[in-house]
Amino acid sequence: METRALTIHCEGAVPVSLSDTKDHQVPPSGHVRIHVATLDELVERTDRYHGLLDKGELERLTRFKFDADRQRFLLGHGLLREVIGQVLNTD
């Protein structure tokens, strides 16, 4: 198996409000977009994100032993669904 180096070129972070939807489009070929948020920034969305999870995600959510792990899973998956929805222009 051939080993290939991974080279990452960064233009720097560009702060974007979580409510800012104008820049949520599919990135050009060869580019990626990385979304970063803290749990503190997302905690007010807990109820909304809970409503976005599917049955399997809700079942998995109940299996976490610690509240912090449940919160991280819920907010992470909720944010993922929100971003994908914005990119696909759907709820």
Side-chain angles (χ1 to χ4, degrees), residues 16-52:
V16 176
S17 166
L18 290 173
S19 62
D20 186 0
T21 60
K22 69 177 173 39
D23 193 35
H24 292 287
Q25 51 190 310
V26 176
S29 179
H31 292 81
V32 297
R33 182 170 292 122
I34 299 173
H35 294 262
V36 179
T38 66
L39 295 178
D40 290 339
E41 291 174 305
L42 298 175
V43 72
E44 66 188 34
R45 299 169 181 222
T46 298
D47 292 337
R48 178 165 41 126
Y49 283 176
H50 194 275
L52 295 177

Side-chain angles (χ1 to χ4, degrees), residues 42-68:
L42 298 175
V43 72
E44 66 188 34
R45 299 169 181 222
T46 298
D47 292 337
R48 178 165 41 126
Y49 283 176
H50 194 275
L52 295 177
L53 300 184
D54 65 24
K55 182 180 176 182
E57 289 170 318
L58 290 171
E59 289 172 0
R60 185 173 173 197
L61 182 66
T62 64
R63 294 194 303 259
F64 285 100
K65 182 176 180 177
F66 301 106
D67 288 338

